[in-house]
Amino acid sequence: MADNYLERKMEEHRRGASPRKTSVGPTKGKLSFNFPPRRVLLFDLDENLTARLVQAYGETGCRVAVYPGITSIDGARLISSTNNPSTDLTGVLNAWGDIDIVVALSNSQLVDNSIQTILTHRELLPYPNDYGLRLIAIGETNPLISDNVTTCFIETKQPIPSDAFQKIVPSVLFLSLNDMANTNIKL
């Protein structure tokens, strides 16, 4: 019986039929962590960057809204724009209850109005949001926003070069974590 077993194993080895078993564990060079689902508003971003962020946040289980709704993006709720954020964001705020993260260009004209709309809506909620409201601004200058908002900043040239997207997307997700308040990244 032992001779037959060894012969079969030798034949399998020669054919290369049995793949080597590897241990299950973290991959070298990769970082893995639990990402809590959040409600995310992508505000006035480049279409390619928006699509990549929708995919990245969607893979983590987050709900994503895009304002202004540019084109059809799978996995995102598109918000049409009337240039009045208090009117435009009402549907999402009523449906989701709140927004946790706003990702926007630092020089966006309506981001202040949108932040104020979200903060005003929060005053009507019967419970506080333990995460707070986080603005992740992408651009050349760090925006000055109210003290009620945690601001993180990714410094990059405008317009954003397409090769920077592969650095920006993981940076945005990193800044979305609980402990990354008031962190700035220079790309």
Side-chain angles (χ1 to χ4, degrees):
M1 181 170 175
D3 292 338
N4 192 15
Y5 172 78
L6 291 174
E7 288 173 11
R8 280 188 286 127
K9 286 297 179 187
M10 192 57 146
E11 286 178 37
E12 287 178 10
H13 175 69
R14 287 184 187 132
R15 288 188 309 223
S18 61
R20 289 191 94 170
K21 294 184 180 179
T22 58
S23 64
V24 177
T27 307
K28 287 185 178 182
K30 293 285 184 179
L31 180 62
S32 161
F33 49 85
N34 292 332
F35 195 93
R38 300 280 182 220
R39 297 159 291 196
V40 181
L41 175 64
L42 302 179
F43 191 91
D44 202 20
L45 297 172
D46 175 83
E47 192 170 338
N48 293 327
L49 181 59
T50 299
R52 289 178 187 215
L53 286 170
V54 166
Q55 180 182 5
Y57 273 119
E59 289 173 356
T60 65
C62 294
R63 289 185 270 179
V64 182
V66 177
Y67 179 74
I70 39 182
T71 60
S72 178
I73 297 177
D74 289 340
R77 182 177 183 147
L78 302 178
I79 304 171
S80 59
S81 175
T82 63
N83 289 331
N84 183 355
S86 60
T87 302
D88 300 338
L89 296 176
T90 301
V92 171
L93 288 169
N94 289 337
W96 292 356
D98 203 353
I99 291 175
D100 303 309
I101 301 168
V102 177
V103 182
L105 292 177
S106 59
N107 60 355
S108 182
Q109 300 297 322
L110 297 175
V111 73
D112 291 335
N113 295 341
S114 298
I115 296 290
Q116 289 308 316
T117 298
I118 295 167
L119 292 173
T120 302
H121 179 79
R122 283 186 170 194
E123 292 173 3
L124 304 174
L125 296 176
Y127 50 87
N129 184 326
D130 60 342
Y131 180 75
L133 178 60
R134 182 160 308 168
L135 170 65
I136 300 174
I138 302 169
E140 292 180 303
T141 57
N142 198 341
L144 299 173
I145 304 292
S146 77
D147 294 336
N148 297 333
V149 179
T150 301
T151 304
C152 300
F153 179 61
I154 298 175
E155 184 179 345
T156 185
K157 294 180 181 180
Q158 293 291 347
I160 301 170
S162 60
D163 61 336
F165 292 164
Q166 65 187 3
K167 295 177 184 176
I168 290 175
V169 172
S171 298
V172 168
L173 291 178
F174 179 72
L175 293 173
S176 299
L177 295 172
N178 285 348
D179 298 334
M180 294 299 116
N182 297 318
T183 303
N184 296 335
I185 296 175
K186 184 174 183 176
L187 296 179

